[in-house]
Amino acid sequence: RQGRARRHDGLDGDSLETFPRTLRWLDENKISFLKLFTPAPYPGTKFHADMTAAGRITDQDWGHYDYGSPTVRPLNMTSEEMLDGFRTVYQGFYSVRSMLKRFMPPPRRHLLETLAMLVANAKVNGYLRRNPAAWGTIS
């Protein structure tokens, strides 16, 4: 994954192992902040046409497209497994263990930026502990 973006059409190339592998990559590469999106087949796009042709669109309500709803049926897992995987990545990424691994020791050159990101991560950690189903609303 390093150095190039990956394209996911409804998580077709992914399996349940993708989630822990992604979390390890995020930690190893000291990624500062995370926002994941479930696949969103907006009408008028090739993705929408492909998913419609395959009969894989599960929700036509655009209001659900950016809030962690399963709008496309994945190939290699159930929609529930996909959402559980997203939730697991968020919980792991914003855990104290992960924050310590990613931000400690803080680099001297960017100390204030690192401390600001650590505070932002800690706030997300607290929010997710109080609202475990709210991972899809983090931005």
Side-chain angles (χ1 to χ4, degrees):
R1 285 187 210 221
Q2 213 166 350
R4 63 187 172 133
R6 289 183 54 192
R7 182 172 177 255
H8 294 291
D9 293 342
L11 302 174
D12 289 354
D14 291 334
S15 67
L16 295 177
E17 174 54 29
T18 299
F19 299 107
R21 190 173 59 238
T22 298
L23 184 56
R24 281 191 304 273
W25 186 90
L26 293 165
D27 280 347
E28 289 168 5
N29 288 280
K30 298 185 179 287
I31 302 302
S32 299
F33 212 76
L34 176 67
K35 175 62 178 164
L36 301 174
F37 294 91
T38 53
Y42 289 103
T45 64
K46 181 178 181 326
F47 184 56
H48 183 271
D50 291 348
M51 294 298 104
T52 298
R56 293 178 49 198
I57 296 179
T58 62
D59 189 342
Q60 297 287 345
D61 184 345
W62 289 19
H64 296 157
Y65 278 26
D66 289 331
Y67 295 103
S69 297
T71 56
V72 171
R73 188 178 65 254
L75 284 182
N76 299 315
M77 64 189 86
T78 67
S79 294
E80 293 76 23
E81 289 171 329
M82 177 183 70
L83 293 180
D84 286 344
F86 276 84
R87 195 172 297 110
T88 299
V89 170
Y90 268 105
Q91 289 171 343
F93 184 81
Y94 290 109
S95 70
V96 172
R97 181 201 64 76
S98 177
M99 286 187 282
L100 291 173
K101 185 185 269 189
R102 291 181 289 117
F103 293 113
M104 296 300 164
R108 290 176 189 228
R109 289 184 348 171
H110 304 288
L111 182 60
L112 286 178
E113 180 182 341
T114 299
L115 292 176
M117 290 308 296
L118 183 58
V119 168
N121 275 246
K123 286 183 175 188
V124 173
N125 172 288
Y127 180 74
L128 287 174
R129 279 188 290 134
R130 290 186 308 277
N131 307 285
W135 65 267
T137 63
I138 298 169
S139 57

